Amino acid sequence: GFAKVDRQRQERTGFPEVVYGEGKTADEIIRIFRSLKEHSEVLLATRIDEEKGRKIVEVHDDCTFDERSGTVYKKKPLEDTEHYIAVVCAGTSDLAVAEEAAITAEVFGVRVERVYDVGVAGLHRLLGEIERIRAARVSIVVAGMEGALPSVVGGLVAHPVLAVPTSVGYGANFGGVSALLSMLNSCSSGISVVNIDNGFGAAYNAVMIEKMAGS
Amino acid sequence: GFAKVDRQRQERTGFPEVVYGEGKTADEIIRIFRSLKEHSEVLLATRIDEEKGRKIVEVHDDCTFDERSGTVYKKKPLEDTEHYIAVVCAGTSDLAVAEEAAITAEVFGVRVERVYDVGVAGLHRLLGEIERIRAARVSIVVAGMEGALPSVVGGLVAHPVLAVPTSVGYGANFGGVSALLSMLNSCSSGISVVNIDNGFGAAYNAVMIEKMAGS
Amino acid sequence: GFAKVDRQRQERTGFPEVVYGEGKTADEIIRIFRSLKEHSEVLLATRIDEEKGRKIVEVHDDCTFDERSGTVYKKKPLEDTEHYIAVVCAGTSDLAVAEEAAITAEVFGVRVERVYDVGVAGLHRLLGEIERIRAARVSIVVAGMEGALPSVVGGLVAHPVLAVPTSVGYGANFGGVSALLSMLNSCSSGISVVNIDNGFGAAYNAVMIEKMAGS
Amino acid sequence: GFAKVDRQRQERTGFPEVVYGEGKTADEIIRIFRSLKEHSEVLLATRIDEEKGRKIVEVHDDCTFDERSGTVYKKKPLEDTEHYIAVVCAGTSDLAVAEEAAITAEVFGVRVERVYDVGVAGLHRLLGEIERIRAARVSIVVAGMEGALPSVVGGLVAHPVLAVPTSVGYGANFGGVSALLSMLNSCSSGISVVNIDNGFGAAYNAVMIEKMAGS
Amino acid sequence: GFAKVDRQRQERTGFPEVVYGEGKTADEIIRIFRSLKEHSEVLLATRIDEEKGRKIVEVHDDCTFDERSGTVYKKKPLEDTEHYIAVVCAGTSDLAVAEEAAITAEVFGVRVERVYDVGVAGLHRLLGEIERIRAARVSIVVAGMEGALPSVVGGLVAHPVLAVPTSVGYGANFGGVSALLSMLNSCSSGISVVNIDNGFGAAYNAVMIEKMAGS
Amino acid sequence: GFAKVDRQRQERTGFPEVVYGEGKTADEIIRIFRSLKEHSEVLLATRIDEEKGRKIVEVHDDCTFDERSGTVYKKKPLEDTEHYIAVVCAGTSDLAVAEEAAITAEVFGVRVERVYDVGVAGLHRLLGEIERIRAARVSIVVAGMEGALPSVVGGLVAHPVLAVPTSVGYGANFGGVSALLSMLNSCSSGISVVNIDNGFGAAYNAVMIEKMAGS
Amino acid sequence: GFAKVDRQRQERTGFPEVVYGEGKTADEIIRIFRSLKEHSEVLLATRIDEEKGRKIVEVHDDCTFDERSGTVYKKKPLEDTEHYIAVVCAGTSDLAVAEEAAITAEVFGVRVERVYDVGVAGLHRLLGEIERIRAARVSIVVAGMEGALPSVVGGLVAHPVLAVPTSVGYGANFGGVSALLSMLNSCSSGISVVNIDNGFGAAYNAVMIEKMAGS
Amino acid sequence: GFAKVDRQRQERTGFPEVVYGEGKTADEIIRIFRSLKEHSEVLLATRIDEEKGRKIVEVHDDCTFDERSGTVYKKKPLEDTEHYIAVVCAGTSDLAVAEEAAITAEVFGVRVERVYDVGVAGLHRLLGEIERIRAARVSIVVAGMEGALPSVVGGLVAHPVLAVPTSVGYGANFGGVSALLSMLNSCSSGISVVNIDNGFGAAYNAVMIEKMAGS
Ligand SMILES: Nc1ncnc2c1ncn2[C@@H]1O[C@H](COP(=O)(O)O)[C@@H](O)[C@H]1O
Ligand SMILES: Nc1ncnc2c1ncn2[C@@H]1O[C@H](COP(=O)(O)O)[C@@H](O)[C@H]1O
Ligand SMILES: Nc1ncnc2c1ncn2[C@@H]1O[C@H](COP(=O)(O)O)[C@@H](O)[C@H]1O
Ligand SMILES: Nc1ncnc2c1ncn2[C@@H]1O[C@H](COP(=O)(O)O)[C@@H](O)[C@H]1O
Ligand SMILES: [Mg+2]
Ligand SMILES: [Mg+2]
Ligand SMILES: [Mg+2]
Ligand SMILES: [Mg+2]
Ligand SMILES: [Mg+2]
Ligand SMILES: [Mg+2]
Ligand SMILES: [Mg+2]
Ligand SMILES: [Mg+2]
């Protein structure tokens, strides 16, 4: 019977419900958070601008608003573990998306190592950090403009790489298309891609893989 | 020192070298296979047309040419296991890409369950097979035209979904763009995407995840 | 003679004139409404922002401004009937367009059943409502992002489906192109498509079909 | 229970199964036709090239191969009726798609009036035929190049118009994109659109509407 | 010698210099007008917003600011003549561009007949005005959305048609691309096209042709 | 009455009917030519490949097949006149389109001056021929690749320029899009544009203008 | 060892670090400038809007803010030399990008000759300045709209041309795509292209070439 | 006088005339070579397919046909020099374009170092060859698929990099667009870009720069 499909996927998977902030008012999000608190110790809303963010944390003062990534969240302390997801990006401009990914993973209960400022234009920086990336079980690699970083990282590590193109850049970047196409056409194996600026989606995938690998 | 980066990624990872057949002659592939045999019990070449395929298996008669998927391969028997990757697709037209994925995974030593003919236009077929998909550790979901299948599967399973858009269709499918965009914009979580028609790439990712999950 | 073509299509069809609000001032719309009232008991203007909307209903206080859908309208009570159009959508973000469609149909004198919050990522919700959709004579299915909902609905019902792509989403949705292409390439039969965000157009078509089917 | 969704949509709707010929061999189609004959008096396969077509009708000699539209079909005599679908197009180049639509509708048991050679560049021809179009219950309007015909017809009739863009043209027609965009952006109301060259899809929709209107 | 090319094209042609307002300040345009007045009785600046327009006519009070078309101009009285350019468009939304064309032609000394509100969705309006269009020596046909008007007009007149696509519309009009492609792919002969929203350019061409035809 | 629109535009204008060869068989064209000969001394068919061309002139041996331009035509001797259309292009690759334009104009009874091999990369060649172009009443300027020639010519002449983009080039020319966009965005005034590779359309417009200017 | 790659490329090349202003606050740039001053006599920040620019030069009053190009910089006096880079552009609208290029080159210590107002629509202006361009060792040619200027200049000089497309224009310029494609498809040899509006990048390349040529 | 512009650019620059083979017959190229031999010791024709190539070298037996790059050429021995251009690419598939570049540079009299098989997916190979690249005065970096190689090389060298995107790849590479956009958006400085597959153009630029640097 249809009972086969009627269980909420979110419940089965143990992932908390995450609020997509775009197109919702602060009040709506405040109410949703109130109701989510009945079942969940952690909370996350993404794509929240400054005005909404401030209003939400005024009411939910156990939550943090991170302006750069546009997230409001409540984490719980992570268990001590040697296993982690590496979140890798080039520089200041991609930090918003990288932090959306990192915070999402942490809210979902997974340790994150941030490896920032390692763009391909200065390869020595990436090579200086490569062991920290290699030791991860999954990497999220965030890049705008030419989006070359996932290809280079993918060739240096033996674990799955979630590639996140960003809309950072101007002119012929076409709002992230240049980075997106680079990542889809990567000559490195072991790379899969999510939507432009979708740090959340990359983290969701990475956490699934990480949890599957066990502790 | 630089020794840190000089080991072949392929060697470290235990993945056999795979030959990308496009732009190589039958003779070139025959020679490459000869040299690969020195180190590897399994063999795989992708994007091989009928003429090349026949020539290769004439010389390498321990290999099989699968015309539909355009692959030439030599597998070894899989270990007995309850764990598998589900390769899911809608119908006859996406089989070429689905089989490229399935054969790649098998050559890489992972069990595959094929769940074919389950397009979203006749949902009962998918729902009738959903438990077989749910029991997998990773799914590869292949779809052309509107590319909706990964979104629907992604909402019904709790494991990572590798989505493969295909160029199948006509008119406003623009050689696979319609399916690609659908998958990148999926409202289901846990989906990541590879290049149009890249069954190989999806399998590579899926095998990495599957192996990480252990036996 | 040319008399063959000189009758106003709107008059012949019995459809009231609808005002397209974009690029018209509040004052212009107020004046047009005044003149339309001479011939019509119902009124509708679409694509009206908040400022214009408030000004119009201040003067025409028998009209309602619905901010979410950007419409100003005056309906008359519907006749009691078992026949209806189903307006189906996934969630909060597509409500603006879904409501433009629903209100248009109601202003045109047709009963509407709203089936909202039934996105493909949680299929059980759609399946739980499917009988209410099946009982309609026409469905309008509104979806943004990957635009998969019309394909799934189309496979479950035996009546015509008008598909409306929305511009909801970000990144590689390209302002609604992803949903538009999905709908045009649907592998379900019985689906036709209108412009991105064109709830009005879908309702116009649906009402034509519904009225043709008779009471 | 799930029984709700497990009945074949084709069976419920009374529409015969139609074979999509692309990517299937003549032999496969011959076999499918053999099996379809067990349940159906009519038969239809679309997107069939000359070589395949000839092979199929050699075996199934009760079928007709229409080269221009790329269809193989077996109709049964239509009931006498004043109701019909108008299939409208401009000229020789769009005939392939127009005939795919017309034949599909006839195989599905609906009378068709063909109104060909009425392109907008010579308006008098369209105006000379307009009463024949107006008397239809639904129109299918097929156009390539600038795709203006559905807008003009839509303004002259009071019934639903299914618009079919074709890939006919060259240069900046981009394989049918010019006609597709014209139809999606039509300023006439009552027009909905199917994929480029999808005469079958338009007919499927039109027949649904026509049947709903009753006899 | 090079003297062959050193004469100013504008001077030779007798066309006054026209100021392209975008990216110029009000002050800059005021100064340019001052200098142009030394040689020219007429003046024209295009793409002028309200703020700039008001400032310019405050200083140059023999000039008129037309807000709808974004032009500031000074015409001189036209000679009495039976010859004219027809400027044709569908409705309120395309008026800005149509007026840019009409005013440009008048500033250049050519009589204009405005034939507005004749969109293809209500063909009787166009047919009711067709003799006024036919009597012109050149037509400028302005259309947004599906851009079908030039094709229809082109089929009804025997003189050159300058087609101007506009960015009017939403969704899949892609800022005027739909109308542009329609016009480039017109099945009517005698149509040539200028840039999206370029009423000025169409008028420049039309005036050249008109003047060549003599009085 | 409708009589207003029922006269054939071709007849009124005095332009002979031209056959668009694409999608017509040699036999069909042979028959059409036979029927056209009843009313017309001149004949023209465009977009004819070698095989069709040879077959047609075998039957119609008063016609010429020009392989480069893909035209079959029969001209009559031109009257002696100082007035002409200049057909201008850069080099060997654009000759096909330039000749389609030139032959069309000649079949329509207008004298043509061919100014070939004057690409912008070697400006002295263009400047050496500029007086011959200036003396024309209209120019047709054909260019592929970057499509700069019409902008340069347009700045040097005082008559209307019909710009024809060609699909000549490779890579980022995108089948003529690069040249098309160049021409639409020309900073020279007096330029209007026809479809990619549409030499016929440019000639049709140019002849209209030329004839209007009188002898 | 890896030491091979660990030297900063910027240091080796003697090029000062340039600050990319987009996405950085005025305060951040003020701090970066403070730290850069420890090692460098010259300073440059690009893509700075008016508000940020004013704040920066208030603190760093040895710097100049150039509003048109959006740069803040500190140059040192250039050595006396006959060698220079020509920066060439058409008119007022491209000046922002041209000046970004010119100022960057000067900050990097290279003499610049500005050759402005030489668009292809008035070729005599370009030809009047051509010797000044020819005498340069490298040219940077900046153009929006149809982007034809680099092709024309490239054909007249014997040194490398760096082509910079700008986003100047409207309609079918698609934010600079028209100029970009023109430059990539140039039929002149010796032209290479940088991103839309990237005056900085062109200058960086030009300075590299100029310095290589020696004094 | 105009004498200023009438000297052939090719003659002034000392670059031999190069034949663009596309659209020319073998016979035409044979004749052109015959005439070029009167003035030039070296010869080059590009974009020559196998059939044409064989015919040309049958007549001009002092020429070599290189099938992979599609070139026919006659070089003269290079002078002994430590200076060279590096031509860098990833692998077998990009060799055609890389060789077009390398052969062009050699025909123009410049020494070339080929650094092939150094794709970013296996970074150790590139790093193992980096000193050979660094020692060049200019690099030509050829890459298809994601086109990341120029960004990585650009960050490791201090000389100008000419980036050549290739059409190698499938699916979302869109015939080279992915690589092209990557290169235009490179975060490394000192990179400029030529058309997709334009090895010739990159070499032309590189040789200009190399010759300028002197011996
Ligand atoms: N169908 C495919 N699509 C994308 N990449 C592939 C495919 N088949 C093989 N590859 C990759 O291509 C590499 C071999 O390329 P090559 O050395 O050119 O044969 C393999 O190691 C794979 O990573
Ligand atoms: N939201 C809408 N989208 C598309 N067309 C519309 C919309 N609202 C109204 N219309 C059409 O626009 C026509 C009126 O346009 P106007 O005369 O400009 O107000 C109506 O008759 C409708 O056919
Ligand atoms: N709306 C317009 N669109 C395109 N070109 C225009 C427009 N208005 C003026 N122009 C052209 O721009 C030139 C003046 O440009 P500028 O010197 O920048 O003011 C005029 O000579 C016209 O050719
Ligand atoms: N306008 C510009 N466009 C592209 N790249 C730039 C521009 N201005 C500076 N850059 C580059 O950006 C680098 C500094 O980036 P950041 O560290 O983010 O300030 C510089 O070293 C330059 O290579
Ligand atoms: Mg990897
Ligand atoms: Mg999932
Ligand atoms: Mg259906
Ligand atoms: Mg209608
Ligand atoms: Mg006409
Ligand atoms: Mg001109
Ligand atoms: Mg040059
Ligand atoms: Mg560099």
Side-chain angles (χ1 to χ4, degrees), chain E residues 9 204 208, chain F residues 153-161 188-191:
Chain E
R9 183 180 168 288
Y204 196 104
M208 270 190 162
Chain F
V153 171
L156 296 170
V157 305
H159 57 245
V161 170
S188 293
S189 298
I191 293 175

Side-chain angles (χ1 to χ4, degrees), chain E residues 19-36 45 48 52 55-56 59-60, chain G residues 68 92-93 95:
Chain E
V19 179
Y20 177 64
E22 200 116 22
K24 299 203 177 69
T25 64
D27 277 356
E28 287 170 339
I29 298 170
I30 289 167
R31 266 197 310 270
I32 297 172
F33 266 24
R34 216 167 268 145
S35 123
L36 289 175
I48 306 289
K52 282 192 212 171
K55 280 192 193 155
I56 297 167
V59 176
H60 292 283
Chain G
R68 193 166 44 184
T92 46
S93 4
L95 283 183

Side-chain angles (χ1 to χ4, degrees), chain C residues 154-155 157 159 161 189-190, chain D residues 9 208:
Chain C
V157 305
H159 57 244
V161 169
S189 298
Chain D
R9 187 182 165 287
M208 270 189 162

Side-chain angles (χ1 to χ4, degrees), chain E residues 10 17-20 24 46-47 100 198 200, chain F residues 189, chain G residues 92 170:
Chain E
Q10 300 284 18
E17 182 78 46
V18 175
V19 179
Y20 177 64
K24 299 203 177 69
T46 64
R47 301 186 84 88
E100 188 188 275
N198 191 3
F200 164 78
Chain F
S189 298
Chain G
T92 46
Y170 61 89

Side-chain angles (χ1 to χ4, degrees), chain H residues 116-215:
Chain H
Y116 293 171
D117 199 28
V118 294
V120 300
L123 207 57
H124 57 284
R125 293 174 304 188
L126 176 62
L127 296 177
E129 296 277 17
I130 195 64
E131 290 311 330
R132 202 150 60 99
I133 305 175
R134 273 187 179 143
R137 290 211 284 206
V138 198
S139 289
I140 293 169
V141 186
V142 177
M145 303 175 86
E146 88 271 65
L149 194 54
S151 288
V152 174
V153 170
L156 295 170
V157 304
H159 57 245
V161 169
L162 271 300
V164 192
T166 74
S167 54
V168 167
Y170 61 91
N173 83 322
F174 300 130
V177 169
S178 57
L180 173 63
L181 296 185
S182 275
M183 295 173 186
L184 287 168
N185 288 283
S186 178
C187 57
S188 292
S189 299
I191 294 176
S192 65
V193 186
V194 297
N195 196 8
I196 297 166
D197 292 335
N198 190 3
F200 164 76
Y204 196 105
N205 275 283
V207 168
M208 269 189 162
I209 297 171
E210 164 63 28
K211 290 201 167 164
M212 183 175 296
S215 49

